Amino acid sequence: MTSARGFQAVFGQPPEAEASAPGRVNLLGEHTDYNEGFVLPIAIPQQTHVGMRRNGQGAFRLHAQAMDQTVAFTLDAPPAAHFACYVYGCLVETAREGVALEPLDIHVASDVPMGVGLSSSAALEVATLRCLRGLLDLPLDDVQIAHLGQRAEVRHAGVRCGLLDQMASSLAGTTRALLMDTRSLARREVPLPAGSALLVVDSGEPRSLAASGYNERRAQCEQAARLLGVASLRDVPDLQALDGLPELLRRRARHVLTENARVLAAAGCVHARDFGALMNASHASLRDDYAVSTPAMDRLVSLLQAHPQVQGARLTGAGFGGACVALCVQGAQAAIARAVLPAYAAGGGQARVLVPAEAS
Ligand code: GLA
């Protein structure tokens, strides 16, 4: 149900404002954003829809269709339900910008898969902020929305994320990837190689350690930068400069440096096979140097990589389970899924196709 119909069903009146925002899949540039590096995401067709109406009451009321749950809160204290923290964070961060907020009824409906690394939280943040912008006629541009969404997540949901997800949800389209320098925020669109298309598959493995593992990786990168005497790993000139680091930090930093180089190389790729080879190398680096893959994910990615109509495949998002993305021969996604999913299931995994929806 769209947010408007869902809103009416829950709150008995239509919303005053509505907005949507997509999830994203990152094609290359993983764990580079908080190191001021390069990323290459693209929006996915699935969206989160938010509706809002001033309620004239003493508290905000938030209904999440996915949980069939309504929570009430004020801006003085975070709501107990974790899902509500993203919306609460957006409201609080907007209020901190000097915007007077009266209590609202808010309805959220989403078909962005949750907890698989496709940025359902950023889609929620960006849709919430877009809806607030529409409701209150706020002078916020799409980059400011991305910054506010990131702040909401860092300060109120406990993940020290970079800007990748919110920028992708706020600015990327579904037909071209968005090459972005996360330091300067310079960006440009990059078409997928001719004749290729994307397949996104959920490994079925929940991302249980994602938040703690993510924050730990980020801290390791910051420590490596400190030891090297640079503001961020973006400033390290070459791989040789990493030689003096302790082994673990050297591996983490090596992933970041090589991944940045892969993003820039991919942006100039003409042939799908070359782009795909960079994705394969990215997966190996995330597995071996960054240690954010899992045995099940490695198995699924290997099965995809071995398929003749797959040009490259890698885990996508923070890792620790979740989804992977493959660059495929256009139109072959359903056939690839029919070959790979049963082979994965035979080894004990339950995968499902997330993009394109018709290949599921
Ligand atoms: C999560 C974070 C992003 C980014 C990716 C890894 O999605 O929210 O900021 O760091 O992980 O590339």
Side-chain angles (χ1 to χ4, degrees):
M1 203 186 296
T2 64
S3 190
R5 282 173 55 206
F7 192 104
Q8 174 89 39
V10 172
F11 296 113
Q13 298 189 73
E16 287 180 79
E18 288 175 80
S20 303
R24 65 97 188 96
V25 59
N26 195 20
L27 304 184
L28 274 167
E30 220 64 86
H31 293 278
T32 50
D33 62 347
Y34 52 83
N35 292 298
E36 303 197 343
F38 300 94
V39 293
L40 192 62
I42 189 167
I44 57 172
Q46 289 95 330
Q47 303 237 351
T48 295
H49 312 279
V50 172
M52 290 180 181
R53 182 182 187 93
R54 283 166 270 233
N55 65 19
Q57 313 270 316
F60 290 80
R61 292 185 300 199
L62 167 65
H63 183 86
Q65 187 170 278
M67 282 118 196
D68 193 20
Q69 198 185 340
T70 307
V71 296
F73 58 86
T74 67
L75 297 190
D76 299 331
H82 185 70
F83 76 86
C85 291
Y86 300 98
V87 172
Y88 169 83
C90 290
L91 296 168
V92 168
E93 292 307 318
T94 304
R96 278 191 188 155
E97 293 294 300
V99 176
L101 290 180
E102 24 174 331
L104 304 167
D105 285 341
I106 304 171
H107 184 274
V108 174
S110 182
D111 54 11
V112 180
M114 279 190 272
V116 294
L118 299 184
S119 294
S120 57
S121 56
L124 175 56
E125 290 146 9
V126 172
T128 298
L129 290 161
R130 281 180 176 169
C131 198
L132 265 185
R133 174 172 68 184
L135 180 75
L136 304 174
D137 206 16
L138 301 177
L140 291 173
D141 65 26
D142 292 341
V143 173
Q144 289 169 312
I145 286 211
H147 277 289
L148 277 174
Q150 182 207 19
R151 245 183 280 155
E153 183 135 354
V154 171
R155 293 183 179 164
H156 306 278
V159 178
R160 295 184 62 215
C161 64
L163 252 186
L164 161 65
D165 304 346
Q166 291 80 8
M167 283 294 280
S169 181
S170 192
L171 288 136
T174 54
T175 53
R176 286 158 170 266
L178 183 72
L179 170 66
M180 184 172 68
D181 177 340
T182 62
R183 170 173 273 176
S184 66
L185 298 191
R187 53 199 179 272
R188 72 177 165 87
E189 291 188 338
V190 173
L192 292 181
S196 64
L198 299 174
L199 173 67
V200 181
V201 182
D202 174 19
S203 69
E205 232 190 339
R207 294 166 62 227
S208 43
L209 287 173
S212 56
Y214 183 90
N215 289 342
E216 182 191 63
R217 294 299 179 285
R218 182 167 180 157
Q220 288 167 343
C221 289
E222 287 165 354
Q223 199 191 343
R226 258 196 313 277
L227 289 173
L228 294 168
V230 292
S232 86
L233 291 180
R234 166 69 177 272
D235 297 316
V236 179
D238 52 37
L239 289 173
Q240 263 181 356
L242 305 178
D243 282 350
L245 286 175
E247 180 58 14
L248 182 92
L249 297 185
R250 194 175 70 83
R251 283 170 175 265
R252 302 294 186 255
R254 184 167 63 186
H255 165 73
V256 174
L257 265 66
T258 57
E259 186 77 351
N260 277 331
R262 282 186 286 270
V263 174
L264 295 177
C269 270
V270 176
H271 301 296
R273 279 281 161 204
D274 297 337
F275 194 115
L278 292 163
M279 292 173 76
N280 293 344
S282 170
H283 185 79
S285 176
L286 287 160
R287 180 192 61 209
D288 301 336
D289 278 350
Y290 221 65
V292 292
S293 190
T294 65
M297 176 64 82
D298 291 341
R299 204 160 55 76
L300 179 56
V301 167
S302 295
L303 287 166
L304 284 164
Q305 289 173 345
H307 192 285
Q309 288 174 301
V310 170
Q311 286 133 346
R314 57 182 287 274
L315 73 81
T316 188
F320 307 97
C324 55
V325 57
L327 190 73
C328 306
V329 173
Q330 205 164 37
Q333 296 106 310
I336 294 165
R338 277 198 302 277
V340 167
L341 267 55
Y344 181 66
Q350 271 303 318
R352 64 188 168 126
V353 173
L354 301 174
V355 178
E358 62 275 12
S360 55

